Amino acid sequence: VWHSISLSPRVSHAQYGGVLLNSWLDRDLSIAGRVLIKQNGKIASQLVRLDGPLCRVPQLAIHLDRDVNERGVALNRQEHLAPILALGDHDLFTLVAKECGVTAKEVVGTELMLFDSLAPARGGANGEFIFSARLDNLAMSLAAVRSLIASADRALKGGAIAVAALFDHEEVGSDSVTGAASGFLPRALSRLARRFAQSDDEAHRIFARSLCVSADMAHAVHPNYPEKHEARHKPRLNAGPVIKINSQQRYATTATTRYLFKQLAEEANVPVQEYVNRT
């Protein structure tokens, strides 16, 4: 989850997705995203990332907030989370343009985000932990792409079409034009199926025979807050993938797909855990 930066005559910030506001305090932040560049009458899109610590949202010193430990950190999204970039006036366009190798006037549009610039690291007594931002859902994206590459030849020989779908904007409901709730994936799969089908009916049959694994991250039980989990369903770190089950149909798991996933995991000699939300 990031905060977004909007470039205009005056820089503004806005929250993206569900976020623990206090976790953004006193972190080394930088800026990355997409820039539109106009040169010779043509518009081009370019990705940009400003490396190294660039911004910070400093927490108010305890001398000015004496009872913070008793009442907790109370933050106003508008007033208290604006990142500090420089002393005095500074044109963020200039920084972004320099990184892109163009002039500030040639930058005509931006979609920029703040991100934690601290590099991921292994931790724990035996190096068993991964300390990193954005694990949800980069970990599953990596697993999906690796699986697609590893299974490509076998899928083709078996007459199957292997697909990995990675989406933007899950944190705000997946409702963007490139999100999972958009029409992009159904259209792409329909076009793909029609490549191998002679009619719409046959394409629908291909979909009916297909299976989908919706892969996300599960919340392992927090040793300081075990009561937040259902007593008999407490996922543990490094104890295997988690099958999420929800009677309110928030997850697509059924008895059939649950069994099939367990069978695949057993064939790969991978342990499996099961998870139900605390009622």
Side-chain angles (χ1 to χ4, degrees), residues 124-174:
N126 299 305
E128 65 268 51
F129 300 132
I130 297 176
F131 299 151
S132 176
R134 299 176 292 280
L135 285 174
D136 184 12
N137 199 18
L138 291 181
M140 295 299 98
S141 297
L142 175 63
V145 172
R146 282 186 170 178
S147 298
L148 180 67
I149 295 171
S151 65
D153 290 340
R154 187 170 62 176
L156 285 174
K157 292 177 181 177
I161 304 170
V163 175
L166 316 178
F167 294 101
D168 294 329
H169 307 136
E170 186 273 339
E171 295 291 348
V172 289
S174 301

Side-chain angles (χ1 to χ4, degrees), residues 125-236:
N126 299 305
E128 65 268 51
F129 300 132
I130 297 176
F131 299 151
S132 176
R134 299 176 292 280
L135 285 174
D136 184 12
N137 199 18
L138 291 181
M140 295 299 98
S141 297
L142 175 63
V145 172
R146 282 186 170 178
S147 298
L148 180 67
I149 295 171
S151 65
D153 290 340
R154 187 170 62 176
L156 285 174
K157 292 177 181 177
I161 304 170
V163 175
L166 316 178
F167 294 101
D168 294 329
H169 307 136
E170 186 273 339
E171 295 291 348
V172 289
S174 301
D175 289 333
S176 70
V177 69
T178 54
S182 71
F184 173 77
L185 182 61
R187 288 194 299 269
L189 292 180
S190 294
R191 294 177 66 184
L192 190 61
R194 284 305 305 269
R195 174 66 176 80
F196 300 92
Q198 300 301 316
S199 65
D200 287 341
D201 182 67
E202 189 175 350
H204 292 319
R205 291 174 183 270
I206 291 176
F207 291 137
R209 293 195 300 267
S210 300
L211 290 174
C212 173
V213 174
S214 177
D216 202 349
M217 298 292 279
H219 296 290
V221 63
H222 195 305
N224 297 339
Y225 302 90
E227 71 281 359
K228 295 296 184 180
H229 280 72
E230 204 280 331
R232 288 162 293 278
H233 293 84
K234 297 181 177 180
R236 294 177 293 114

Side-chain angles (χ1 to χ4, degrees), residues 34 38 49 80-82 86 94 102 107 121 123 159 161 170 197 200 205 221 258 265 273:
R34 187 183 305 278
K38 184 176 182 180
R49 169 175 168 154
H80 302 148
L81 291 173
T94 302
V102 298
V107 177
I161 304 170
E170 186 273 339
D200 287 341
R205 291 174 183 270
V221 63
R258 180 178 169 192
Q273 305 180 79

Side-chain angles (χ1 to χ4, degrees), residues 25-267:
L25 301 177
D26 296 326
R27 285 184 180 260
D28 295 338
L29 305 176
S30 196
I31 295 174
R34 187 183 305 278
V35 177
L36 290 182
I37 299 171
K38 184 176 182 180
Q39 290 180 321
N40 301 320
K42 296 182 179 181
I43 303 292
S45 174
Q46 182 173 330
L47 298 179
V48 62
R49 169 175 168 154
L50 302 175
D51 290 317
L54 184 65
C55 308
R56 179 167 284 242
V57 183
Q59 184 171 350
L60 186 62
I62 193 170
H63 308 80
L64 305 176
D65 198 10
R66 291 290 186 181
D67 60 345
V68 63
N69 291 321
E70 286 69 37
R71 61 174 173 77
V73 180
L75 297 171
N76 179 286
R77 290 168 173 78
Q78 182 70 28
E79 303 297 332
H80 302 148
L81 291 173
I84 294 177
L85 175 66
L87 295 176
D89 294 333
H90 193 90
D91 185 4
L92 188 53
F93 270 112
T94 302
L95 277 177
V96 173
K98 182 179 179 181
E99 186 67 22
C100 294
V102 298
T103 66
K105 289 183 178 180
E106 291 173 316
V107 177
V108 295
T110 59
E111 292 175 345
L112 299 176
M113 300 278 186
L114 288 168
F115 70 93
D116 184 357
S117 65
L118 183 66
R122 284 189 175 272
N126 299 305
E128 65 268 51
F129 300 132
I130 297 176
F131 299 151
S132 176
R134 299 176 292 280
L135 285 174
D136 184 12
N137 199 18
L138 291 181
M140 295 299 98
S141 297
L142 175 63
V145 172
R146 282 186 170 178
S147 298
L148 180 67
I149 295 171
S151 65
D153 290 340
R154 187 170 62 176
L156 285 174
K157 292 177 181 177
I161 304 170
V163 175
L166 316 178
F167 294 101
D168 294 329
H169 307 136
E170 186 273 339
E171 295 291 348
V172 289
S174 301
D175 289 333
S176 70
V177 69
T178 54
S182 71
F184 173 77
L185 182 61
R187 288 194 299 269
L189 292 180
S190 294
R191 294 177 66 184
L192 190 61
R194 284 305 305 269
R195 174 66 176 80
F196 300 92
Q198 300 301 316
S199 65
D200 287 341
D201 182 67
E202 189 175 350
H204 292 319
R205 291 174 183 270
I206 291 176
F207 291 137
R209 293 195 300 267
S210 300
L211 290 174
C212 173
V213 174
S214 177
D216 202 349
M217 298 292 279
H219 296 290
V221 63
H222 195 305
N224 297 339
Y225 302 90
E227 71 281 359
K228 295 296 184 180
H229 280 72
E230 204 280 331
R232 288 162 293 278
H233 293 84
K234 297 181 177 180
R236 294 177 293 114
L237 294 175
N238 289 345
V242 178
I243 300 177
K244 297 181 179 181
I245 305 163
N246 187 277
S247 60
Q248 305 301 321
Q249 304 302 307
R250 297 295 185 269
Y251 306 129
T253 308
T254 66
T256 302
T257 57
R258 180 178 169 192
Y259 169 77
L260 289 173
F261 190 89
K262 282 184 173 181
Q263 287 296 107
L264 291 172
E266 185 176 333
E267 290 179 14

